[in-house]
Amino acid sequence: MPPFAGTATGALRFSHKPAAESSIITLNVGGRIFQTTSQTLAAAGPSSLLSSPPPFIDRDPDMFASLLAFLRTGRLPSAAATEDISDLSAEAEFYGIDPRLLFSSSSTSSSSLSLQRSLLLPLSGRDPVAVLSASPYGELLAAHGSKISSFDFSLLRRKTFLTSLPAVDSLLSLHHLSLAAAGAADFPGLQIFDLSSGTLRKTLNWRAHPSDPSATVQAICSADDRQLLFSSYESGRRNSSAILAFDLGSGGDLVPVSEFARHEIFGAELDSAIPATKLKWVPSFNLLMTAGSHWGPSGVVGDIRLWDIRIGGESSQVFDLKEKDDCFADATVSDGLSAMFKVGASSGDMFMADLRKLGAGNPWFRLGGGRWNGENSAGKKEGRGCKIESRGRQVFCSRGGDVEVWSEVAMAAAPEFEEKVMRKNLMGREKDMGGARILQMVFGGKRMALARSGESCVEIWENSDHS
Amino acid sequence: MANGGDGSLPSVQRPENRRVKLNVGGKQFETTVSTLHAGGNDSLLAALAVRRSGDDESDHDEPIFIDRDPDIFSVLLSLLRSGHLPSAARRRFSKQDLTDEALYYGIEELLRSALSPPPILGIDATLVSTLIPAAEAHPTALDASSNDGSIWIAHAGQISVYDSESHPLRHHPHASERDHIHPASMAGSSGHGLAGDPRITLLQLLRRTPANSGLILAAFECPHRENCILSVDRSTLQIASEIGRQTGSGSKNSSPQKLVDLSEAAGVVFASAVNSGAFGYSGYMKLWDMRTGKAVWETSEPGGGTRSDRFGDAFAEADVDREAMAIYKVCWKSGDLAVADMRKLSEDPWLYLEERSPTLRNAGNGVNSILRCYKGQVFVSRETGLEVWSHAVQEEDDGAGEGLRRKNVFRRNFVDKEDDAKRGLIRRLEPFPTTTAAYLTEGERSHSPSVSPLTASVHPCATDFEVVDESLREDSLSSWSGDQAPASTTYRLCGGARDGLGCTVRGPDKAALVRCQGEPPGGTPGCRAGVMPVPHQRLTIDDTWMTP
């Protein structure tokens, strides 16, 4: 979210030239006099102390100068680099300016990333990192063992709290609500934690029948624009599964709103009860993608479904794709590209399906050049362990310890041929490549965070063009 | 400029919001009376603010001139305004500079509290540094109980003090102050003499809520193993009482190796001793009533109330969580951790904690274990590493439609990394009372015995301060900071040695203030001044130690 998009303060000021004189505001901060306009101060937001500034503010004038420069131009002056990030954010908090605005980039999700490895965040204790989650501003959560470490947007401050889960397997950051959701594949209940205090707020349980034991959590995802939290449950006996939507609004009571995608095994109908292990919200289509697969002796089977949650009930399923040949190892949806992507579990190839043209036939379109080995890839497991995530108009795919990035190439598209052209690049410089297998990639702010198998640290990649 | 200052001073302003102009070293500052009072009402700045309020109105535009450095003052003013120090200030100014200026303005307490780190959280701790004393680098005892976060390390007759940033170790070996004491008996307040020469095996400082009535608790043992606990009044250094004299003839009445003060909560002292032999560990735990000097509860292992399936699995270490009033023990054979509620102690009060995580289930036995309770956490060191047991809240749905039940569960986590554990066996572990770090010495297996602070991510400073003790090896240490007048910060240290006599109380000027030691038979019971006589006031050291 660009903080000053559209409301260019300068333009406003000059367009109302006659009124400009009366809007000059004089502030005395710690003995130094500042003069600015009410439009500049309005950029701090309506809840800020500066929206109706007192004549004298008993704070450090140097810090205020940096913040005022930020309000005027939308970015911090380079002189502010001498100040500490944590000092500035504490000062911004005093004035009621969201400190995350100061350091979040103006680059929106549509801009592409050119990332390089910048730092390693160590985690305490011996447990390796299991799962990550990031907020849009770059706050990061990392679960290791039964602990969750929470990093602020500057990644300088770490706070760790303990869960009662033996090991956290799914994690979701709800930083705008100061909450975190965590679940385990072998321990019942979705636990909601208060991030500021590190205490358990609530446990959200689901059971298929009143007599059943409480179900475990397979995946979590949130739809921030609709204030919903989705959680995929599988019953303790592993014979039924469902997805529940909880209300994130209304004071954070997290009441269940709806239950859908409920499946139960009857007889040998194995693939009917595969729980969704990946949930992804697609805001511009108002769709929830759910994907689950099963690695059996006869190969991999799975299904990808799309749900319109406004409809409610089982009829909200708008698309169901059964995957039998070259089933996905991992799948995702890119909002920016309006497409689904998957990595084939057998072939290891990348596939794309246009969300706007989903029909009855096979929607997948294989990306990349090279020889098509789909026919003789049966039984192979080239794609095993691959992870795929989208951000903006890019799709990131991990293979072992490396990440490849697929970007859309601008082409003079022929009107009758509306295919997108995607090109693949390996990420990072040569010395950054390799390493232990990548478990997860998450994106927040200007960064990508990687979790690698068996390592008790989080790898951070940042934009290389950003000094 | 016109409407910046004078035009906006409405008459309705409350006096604490009244603005004050300062000119510090030629630089103008403007702040409010309430900010100046944030450093305490008796600080220089508060006095200046008060002085101005008595003046008439016409004087207000004239700034108060203070002839000090303006840059450091702006940092201190930020501290007064927000309550925390800008982190950039720590890079620009040394702690000594800040402390000196804060002393001048009389706000050193505020600075100290702003610099003191948060309590250590075992699940979020990392090893930050290793302290290796320069000379005779075999630490034998350490103490971290003073409130400022400093660590005191005894190594072969010297005592070195680090501030909580582990900043420079300075030590001055000097042995001249050692008094030669002939073998004597230590007399309790009862007047009974204990034959032979008593030696201190353990020192423990007691804190009581009325700050001036603290006690030093020391376990004394004679060569023929008769032993007792003596409580010494901290201000008069007179022996207050003798608690729990034992013959020392067996493992059930040997000299205590651990004393935990529970006088505030229960009026008792927890004492435990463990001996290891060819057939494993054996030992006892006792609760001594401070007033009567009698044991109110005791258990000994193996035997006693130990249930049959745990027989032979005696405890290797025990400690008391004072806040929760619970005794924790670690068993030597199984390595299990057990807890006993002190409010309902019985023959077999132990509740054994269950390990749920399969990877940790065989995490080692309790041989050479150390156990320390700290703020609801239990630190246990084993040969495999240092672990912490902490509370987590769990909500259980029993399915009976009664909703969720909340309960506290213990979760075990490793504090150290595997590489840290390879450095050697942990010999001592001392969590701080108020600040960040737990410390541990390591010995024997490691080539460089060292003291390693464990800390949560931040840990600022206290004060540079050093003390050197006699050439005897100190086996136990106890330090405390002034509690009567917080501003004047007196520091004392109490040391005792297994092979030396008496314990020494030291002040910040490094001189031994008093030796609490034996008297010739027939002499007056109690203590005798070692280096200087000690009326109570002499022990309150003034501020001059800050600038040695």
Side-chain angles (χ1 to χ4, degrees):
Chain A
M1 183 171 69
F4 306 103
T7 66
T9 52
L12 266 177
R13 195 161 54 224
F14 293 122
S15 63
H16 297 286
K17 202 145 192 185
E21 204 148 339
S22 62
S23 69
I24 289 179
I25 288 175
T26 306
L27 289 164
N28 180 346
V29 179
R32 203 188 293 176
I33 306 299
F34 294 89
Q35 285 199 314
T36 181
T37 62
S38 56
Q39 287 93 336
T40 299
L41 294 182
S47 61
S48 161
L49 172 72
L50 298 173
S51 59
S52 54
F56 176 70
I57 303 174
D58 190 14
R59 297 298 282 193
D60 187 72
D62 293 335
M63 298 272 215
F64 181 74
S66 295
L67 292 178
L68 188 60
F70 169 74
L71 293 179
R72 283 171 175 148
T73 63
R75 59 184 181 83
L76 281 171
S78 52
T82 58
E83 310 276 358
D84 209 274
I85 288 178
S86 54
D87 291 349
L88 272 176
S89 67
E91 204 68 6
E93 259 166 50
F94 172 82
Y95 290 107
I97 305 169
D98 190 339
R100 296 178 299 189
L101 292 180
L102 265 63
F103 308 104
S104 69
S105 75
S106 52
S107 70
T108 56
S109 58
S110 63
S111 77
S112 63
L113 292 176
S114 60
L115 295 165
Q116 65 184 31
R117 181 146 67 177
S118 61
L119 78 152
L120 290 176
L121 292 176
L123 301 171
S124 60
R126 293 191 192 174
D127 298 305
V129 57
V131 52
L132 304 173
S133 179
S135 80
Y137 282 116
E139 286 124 330
L140 187 67
L141 291 179
H144 45 117
S146 55
K147 297 169 284 185
I148 297 174
S149 288
S150 157
F151 295 87
D152 73 339
F153 61 91
S154 64
L155 301 180
L156 291 173
R157 275 174 290 186
R158 180 183 76 188
K159 210 153 79 176
T160 303
F161 56 93
L162 195 63
T163 72
S164 63
L165 304 169
V168 179
D169 295 312
S170 42
L171 183 66
L172 180 70
S173 145
L174 299 163
H175 266 94
H176 58 290
L177 300 170
S178 187
L179 294 177
D186 56 352
F187 200 81
L190 176 67
Q191 302 197 344
I192 307 292
F193 291 92
D194 201 317
L195 277 180
S196 50
S197 63
T199 51
L200 180 68
R201 167 83 70 91
K202 202 168 183 183
T203 305
L204 304 173
N205 283 311
W206 175 78
R207 54 188 74 218
H209 302 285
S211 59
D212 276 7
S214 190
T216 61
V217 174
Q218 303 294 318
I220 329 169
C221 136
S222 71
D224 292 341
D225 55 332
R226 302 186 71 86
Q227 298 199 314
L228 286 174
L229 173 74
F230 300 103
S231 172
S232 165
Y233 287 99
E234 185 183 28
S235 73
R237 295 190 187 117
R238 313 199 66 173
N239 58 359
S240 50
S241 66
I243 296 171
L244 264 74
F246 299 94
D247 184 8
L248 282 176
S250 63
D253 272 348
L254 293 150
V255 284
V257 180
S258 66
E259 178 192 314
F260 55 97
R262 182 170 177 147
H263 295 286
E264 292 184 45
I265 288 187
F266 297 110
E269 208 184 339
L270 179 73
D271 57 343
S272 69
I274 299 171
T277 51
K278 183 146 188 167
L279 305 178
K280 178 121 182 167
W281 175 247
V282 198
S284 58
F285 287 81
N286 247 313
L287 291 174
L288 179 74
M289 185 208 80
T290 69
S293 61
H294 176 80
W295 294 68
S298 60
V300 194
V301 289
D303 47 55
I304 298 175
R305 296 189 175 98
L306 293 170
W307 305 83
D308 189 335
I309 47 110
R310 290 170 301 188
I311 298 167
E314 293 307 315
S315 58
S316 57
Q317 177 176 317
V318 293
F319 182 70
D320 184 4
L321 182 62
K322 292 253 186 295
E323 293 264 292
K324 288 205 168 59
D325 303 320
D326 203 9
C327 172
F328 60 92
D330 195 11
T332 191
V333 179
S334 168
D335 210 4
L337 294 167
S338 307
M340 285 199 297
F341 292 86
K342 76 162 185 179
V343 192
S346 321
S347 65
D349 285 335
M350 175 82 106
F351 294 87
M352 178 171 129
D354 197 326
L355 273 184
R356 295 163 298 190
K357 298 192 287 191
L358 291 174
N362 181 12
W364 294 115
F365 171 81
R366 198 175 67 95
L367 294 180
R371 194 166 45 84
W372 163 245
N373 58 357
E375 282 71 31
N376 49 28
S377 70
K380 285 188 184 165
K381 291 171 185 169
E382 297 289 327
R384 185 157 204 173
C386 287
K387 298 287 169 191
I388 177 168
E389 287 296 335
S390 72
R391 184 193 180 277
R393 300 177 79 83
Q394 288 177 311
V395 181
F396 296 81
C397 176
S398 78
R399 282 179 204 276
D402 290 330
V403 181
E404 59 186 45
V405 51
W406 292 78
S407 315
E408 190 184 24
V409 180
M411 300 275 263
E416 76 277 9
F417 192 68
E418 216 188 298
E419 286 301 343
K420 292 191 176 72
V421 180
M422 303 287 290
R423 284 286 176 266
K424 174 176 88 168
N425 284 295
L426 267 184
M427 235 172 72
R429 287 170 287 189
E430 200 158 341
K431 69 176 173 57
D432 293 339
M433 299 212 282
R437 186 169 63 84
I438 291 168
L439 296 173
Q440 201 187 359
M441 303 169 281
V442 295
F443 300 90
K446 296 172 286 188
R447 309 188 191 100
M448 175 179 79
L450 285 187
R452 289 185 189 270
S453 168
E455 297 198 352
S456 61
C457 59
V458 182
E459 201 173 298
I460 303 293
W461 292 59
E462 274 172 301
N463 256 354
S464 52
D465 54 354
H466 181 78
S467 56
Chain B
M1 270 290 199
N3 55 352
D6 40 63
S8 54
L9 202 108
S11 53
V12 291
Q13 249 177 350
R14 287 176 297 163
E16 64 267 25
N17 288 334
R18 201 172 46 78
R19 283 149 63 177
V20 179
K21 282 184 183 165
L22 298 167
N23 177 353
V24 181
K27 200 169 171 184
Q28 293 279 347
F29 294 92
E30 193 166 349
T31 181
T32 61
V33 172
S34 60
T35 299
L36 292 181
H37 276 280
N41 285 330
D42 49 354
S43 71
L44 172 69
L45 291 173
L48 284 174
V50 168
R51 187 181 65 80
R52 296 299 288 191
S53 66
D55 292 352
D56 52 47
E57 285 290 315
S58 63
D59 237 19
H60 275 306
D61 284 341
E62 188 67 28
I64 306 167
F65 182 73
I66 305 174
D67 192 12
R68 301 295 284 194
D69 181 74
D71 293 339
I72 301 188
F73 179 74
S74 80
V75 170
L76 294 178
L77 192 58
S78 286
L79 170 68
L80 288 171
R81 281 165 173 156
S82 63
H84 54 83
L85 209 60
S87 43
R90 294 304 314 282
R91 291 197 305 267
R92 281 165 65 204
F93 303 107
S94 80
K95 190 188 63 208
Q96 191 63 46
D97 293 347
L98 291 171
T99 311
D100 287 348
E101 285 299 292
L103 261 180
Y104 177 82
Y105 295 110
I107 54 168
E108 71 278 5
E109 266 310 298
L110 186 71
L111 180 72
R112 196 193 316 284
S113 63
L115 293 175
S116 61
I120 189 169
L121 197 61
I123 54 166
D124 203 10
T126 44
L127 187 76
V128 289
S129 62
T130 301
L131 310 177
I132 300 177
E136 296 287 347
H138 277 268
T140 50
L142 79 161
D143 179 77
S145 57
S146 65
N147 284 326
D148 64 346
S150 55
I151 324 157
W152 306 64
I153 305 164
H155 49 109
Q158 301 170 13
I159 298 175
S160 302
V161 181
Y162 293 79
D163 70 19
S164 61
E165 277 200 324
S166 321
H167 264 160
L169 161 77
R170 284 176 291 170
H171 63 280
H172 298 274
H174 66 121
S176 60
E177 279 176 9
R178 175 143 65 103
D179 285 4
H180 289 279
I181 308 134
H182 48 274
S185 62
M186 187 80 177
S189 58
S190 58
H192 298 297
L194 211 71
D197 58 336
R199 281 162 188 188
I200 295 181
T201 54
L202 190 65
L203 272 173
Q204 173 76 34
L205 188 74
L206 296 194
R207 286 160 198 280
R208 284 189 159 174
T209 27
N212 52 359
S213 68
L215 292 171
I216 301 168
L217 216 64
F220 284 76
E221 187 181 27
C222 293
H224 65 269
R225 311 209 57 180
E226 191 174 357
N227 60 77
C228 75
I229 305 165
L230 288 178
S231 73
V232 179
D233 189 286
R234 197 157 104 196
S235 46
T236 63
L237 294 165
Q238 301 286 317
I239 290 174
S241 61
E242 178 191 309
I243 305 160
R245 187 187 293 210
Q246 303 181 113
T247 60
S249 55
S251 69
K252 289 179 187 177
N253 49 26
S254 60
S255 180
Q257 290 155 7
K258 183 164 222 160
L259 295 174
V260 181
D261 158 37
L262 301 164
S263 55
E264 268 175 50
V268 292
V269 175
F270 172 86
S272 75
V274 186
N275 296 299
S276 64
F279 301 104
Y281 281 69
S282 62
Y284 70 84
M285 293 177 218
K286 283 179 184 169
L287 289 173
W288 296 98
D289 191 303
M290 299 268 292
R291 284 172 294 253
T292 64
K294 290 193 166 64
V296 291
W297 176 78
E298 62 183 287
T299 183
S300 59
E301 293 183 4
T306 321
R307 64 189 80 157
S308 56
D309 61 320
R310 292 271 175 186
F311 190 81
D313 197 11
F315 73 96
E317 250 269 271
D319 197 17
V320 180
D321 185 342
R322 297 179 212 208
E323 286 90 31
M325 291 303 279
I327 306 174
Y328 289 89
K329 69 168 185 179
V330 57
C331 303
W332 78 271
K333 200 187 278 178
S334 63
D336 286 350
L337 191 66
V339 58
D341 190 338
M342 288 188 71
R343 289 162 298 196
K344 40 180 184 184
L345 289 171
S346 59
E347 273 287 283
D348 185 17
W350 300 109
L351 186 73
Y352 291 86
L353 299 185
E354 183 192 1
E355 178 57 67
R356 298 194 69 123
S357 168
T359 54
L360 285 169
R361 197 163 284 150
N362 299 314
N365 57 26
V367 175
N368 286 322
S369 272
I370 308 251
L371 186 148
R372 287 303 299 258
C373 299
Y374 176 70
K375 291 203 188 287
Q377 309 165 76
V378 184
F379 290 86
V380 184
S381 88
R382 303 174 194 273
E383 289 175 342
T384 48
L386 177 62
E387 66 196 34
V388 61
W389 293 74
S390 358
H391 287 286
V393 175
Q394 186 177 320
E395 282 184 330
E396 265 187 7
D397 187 357
D398 49 11
E402 291 166 14
L404 298 170
R405 260 185 317 124
R406 282 206 165 213
K407 64 174 192 179
N408 259 321
V409 293
F410 262 108
R411 283 278 176 263
R412 169 154 71 161
N413 282 288
F414 276 108
V415 178
D416 55 353
K417 307 273 183 200
E418 267 160 51
D419 289 346
D420 299 333
K422 288 181 189 132
R423 293 148 55 98
L425 196 61
I426 293 172
R427 290 289 179 204
R428 304 274 174 112
L429 181 67
E430 294 290 336
F432 276 20
T434 54
T435 54
T436 310
Y439 292 87
L440 47 106
T441 52
E442 315 195 333
E444 294 190 359
R445 275 203 272 159
S446 161
H447 285 298
S448 58
S450 57
V451 182
S452 303
L454 293 162
T455 175
S457 44
V458 285
H459 72 134
C461 72
T463 42
D464 280 316
F465 180 45
E466 60 195 87
V467 122
V468 177
D469 205 19
E470 69 221 77
S471 58
L472 289 175
R473 182 187 131 104
E474 308 264 348
D475 288 310
S476 50
L477 270 181
S478 191
S479 69
W480 69 97
S481 57
D483 34 26
Q484 280 170 306
S488 64
T489 29
T490 60
Y491 281 81
R492 306 311 150 49
L493 173 73
C494 207
R498 221 177 280 268
D499 51 358
L501 294 175
C503 66
T504 312
V505 178
R506 291 179 176 272
D509 53 357
K510 290 162 262 178
L513 293 176
V514 66
R515 294 185 68 86
C516 172
Q517 64 190 37
E519 283 290 313
T524 48
C527 314
R528 188 187 64 180
V531 174
M532 62 176 97
V534 275
H536 174 62
Q537 279 72 19
R538 288 286 300 178
L539 282 171
T540 337
I541 308 300
D542 60 11
D543 291 329
T544 51
W545 60 270
M546 285 277 199
T547 48

